[in-house]
Amino acid sequence: MSERLYHSDSSLRTFTGAVTDLRKFASGNGELAWQLALDRTAFYPTSGGQPFDTGQLSALARDGAVLMVPVEQVEEDEDGTVWHFVREPLAAGTHVEGQVDWERRFDHMQQHSGQHLLSAIFWQELQAPTISFHLGESTSTIDLAGGPLAHHSLERVERIANEIIGEDRPVTSGYVSRVEAEAMLAAGQLRKLPDRQGTIRLIDIADCDKNACGGTHVRSTGQIGGLLVRTVEKVSRGVRIEFVCGLRAVRSASADFAILRETSALLSTGATELAPTVGRLLTEGKSNAKERQKLREELAAFQAARLVMEVPIENGLRLVVREWRDRDRDYIKLLASRTAIAAPQTAVIFSANDADPVRMFVARSSDLDFNCGQILREARAQIGLRGGGSADLAQGDVPSEQEAALRISITDAICRTVVKANKQQ
Ligand SMILES: [Zn+2]
C-alpha cells in the first residue's frame, strides 16, 4: 500500500519518496510504457468521480544527471497500490521527487468541493439525494434522484451555494470508525456512507455538510471561487445537473458572453433583446416560406401554360422536352407536374442539369394511357440503371454522359405507346 499524502494535506504539491515496484504495460497506442509504485505519493489516482493528477517525477541518474519523468496517468488497484504511468522505467529503490501539476489538481479540488456543497444544498433544500458525480474536462455533473426541478428552486440552490462560498467556511477532514459513521448517518449528521469497511474519512464543510470521501478538497469554501449551475436534463434515474466552479465558471461565462456578443452583432440588437428578435425572425421566416411556396406554385402554373402553348401536337402527342440549369430540382418537379396537367395529350421530359448526376423527370396528362414509372424504369434498365416512379410522374438520376441516350430512349417509348393507342381507337 502506498501512503497517500494528499489525505492529510491536499495542498501538497511536491514530495519525496522511493520506487517500490515497477511493471510494464502496453499503452493505448501500442507503445510500451511503465507503471511504477512509490512508498508515498501526493498524486491522486482516479476515484470517486475525480480524475487522476498529472505531473512529473525527478530522479538522480547514475551519471549524476537529473532525470525528469512525466507522470501521464495515475490509477489505484484493488490492493490499494497507486500506480504512476510513465514512459521511462525507474528501478525499485530509486529515490524520486514528485511534483503535482497544481493547476490541474486545484481545478479538480474546486469542482469536487463544489460538488460536496451543491449535493448538500440539494439535499437540505429539496431532499434530492445525489446518486452520482462526474468531473469532466470542461464541466461537471451530478445526478439527483427524483423528479424535475423548478427553475426557481435551482436558482435558490445556486444562490445558497454562492453565499456559503462567500462566507469562506472551513473545509476539514477527519477519521471515524465504521460504527461511529453509521451512528452519525442514523442521526442524520452524515449525508452518505459508502459500503467500505474500516476507518471512514469524513469531509466537513463547517455548519453545512459531513460526507464520507477519499478525494482532495479545498481548505475553505472561499477557494471554490463561485459556482454556476448550467444545464439541467432528465436522465433515466432522475435529473442531471451540469455545473462549473472557480475559473471554469469564469471561462464558461466568458465563452457564453462571446456567443451573445457575436449573435447580437449579427442581429444588430442588444443581448437582452436577442430572444424576442430571434422569435420574430423565426415567425417571419415561416411566413416567408409560405409566401415563397405560393409564388412558386403561381410561377409554375404560368410557365407551364406558356410551355404547352409553345409545343404543338404532332401525331396525337404534345411532347415537351426541356433542360434546366438554373432552377432547383423541387421546382423542376413541380413544373413537370403542372405542365403535364396544363393541357391534354401532353407528355413531359425534363432534365435538371444543375449538377451531375442529372435528374430526369417524366410526366403525362391524365388522358394519355402510359405509365411514366414503367417507361423510365425500362429505359434506365437499358443503360444499366435501376428505379422508376409512379404512373403519372417519375424521376431518376442519370450520369450526365448517359443523359442524351436515356432521353432518346424515353422519347421513343412514349411515341410508340401513343401511336399504338391512336391506331387502336
Ligand atoms: Zn470529496
Side-chain angles (χ1 to χ4, degrees), residues 157-175:
V157 166
E158 188 187 59
R159 180 174 50 76
I160 296 171
N162 283 298
E163 281 169 4
I164 295 175
I165 289 170
E167 289 164 10
D168 200 21
R169 299 191 196 178
V171 178
T172 51
S173 66
Y175 292 87

Side-chain angles (χ1 to χ4, degrees), residues 48 50 112-113 115-116 133 201 203 211-217:
Q50 182 179 332
H112 188 146
S113 307
Q115 179 262 315
H116 277 246
F133 162 52
R201 182 168 183 256
I203 304 303
N211 193 42
C213 184
T216 58
H217 308 86

Side-chain angles (χ1 to χ4, degrees), residues 257-274:
F257 187 70
I259 294 169
L260 278 181
R261 196 173 50 225
E262 285 165 27
T263 314
S264 300
L266 279 175
L267 298 175
S268 305
T269 186
T272 51
E273 285 302 305
L274 270 181

Side-chain angles (χ1 to χ4, degrees), residues 266-328:
L266 279 175
L267 298 175
S268 305
T269 186
T272 51
E273 285 302 305
L274 270 181
T277 304
V278 171
R280 203 183 62 239
L281 286 174
L282 286 173
T283 309
E284 281 174 15
K286 271 184 201 159
S287 143
N288 287 343
K290 247 188 212 167
E291 181 66 17
R292 180 170 174 269
Q293 189 53 32
K294 201 176 128 219
L295 291 173
R296 279 159 70 94
E297 294 273 357
E298 284 178 15
L299 180 63
F302 278 116
Q303 208 168 0
R306 209 182 64 192
L307 282 168
V308 294
M309 268 167 52
E310 285 170 3
V311 180
I313 295 177
E314 285 175 47
N315 300 322
L317 176 68
R318 184 197 328 269
L319 186 59
V320 186
V321 182
R322 287 285 187 282
E323 289 178 37
W324 307 92
R325 291 184 184 278
D326 54 353
R327 287 281 181 186
D328 67 88

Side-chain angles (χ1 to χ4, degrees), residues 276-398:
T277 304
V278 171
R280 203 183 62 239
L281 286 174
L282 286 173
T283 309
E284 281 174 15
K286 271 184 201 159
S287 143
N288 287 343
K290 247 188 212 167
E291 181 66 17
R292 180 170 174 269
Q293 189 53 32
K294 201 176 128 219
L295 291 173
R296 279 159 70 94
E297 294 273 357
E298 284 178 15
L299 180 63
F302 278 116
Q303 208 168 0
R306 209 182 64 192
L307 282 168
V308 294
M309 268 167 52
E310 285 170 3
V311 180
I313 295 177
E314 285 175 47
N315 300 322
L317 176 68
R318 184 197 328 269
L319 186 59
V320 186
V321 182
R322 287 285 187 282
E323 289 178 37
W324 307 92
R325 291 184 184 278
D326 54 353
R327 287 281 181 186
D328 67 88
R329 294 178 170 196
D330 282 344
Y331 179 75
I332 297 167
K333 184 181 177 184
L334 177 67
L335 185 58
S337 73
R338 292 297 176 270
T339 307
I341 60 169
Q345 294 170 279
T346 303
V348 176
I349 306 173
F350 283 177
S351 311
N353 291 39
D354 56 331
D356 199 354
V358 172
R359 183 160 300 166
M360 200 163 272
F361 298 92
V362 183
R364 62 153 171 78
S365 51
S366 57
D367 57 317
L368 291 179
D369 188 23
F370 63 83
N371 185 316
C372 296
Q374 193 187 348
I375 283 181
L376 182 65
R377 187 161 43 246
E378 285 170 5
R380 285 165 65 81
Q382 284 174 22
I383 54 170
L385 296 170
R386 291 159 60 122
S390 71
D392 51 2
L393 176 67
Q395 60 178 318
D397 288 353
V398 56

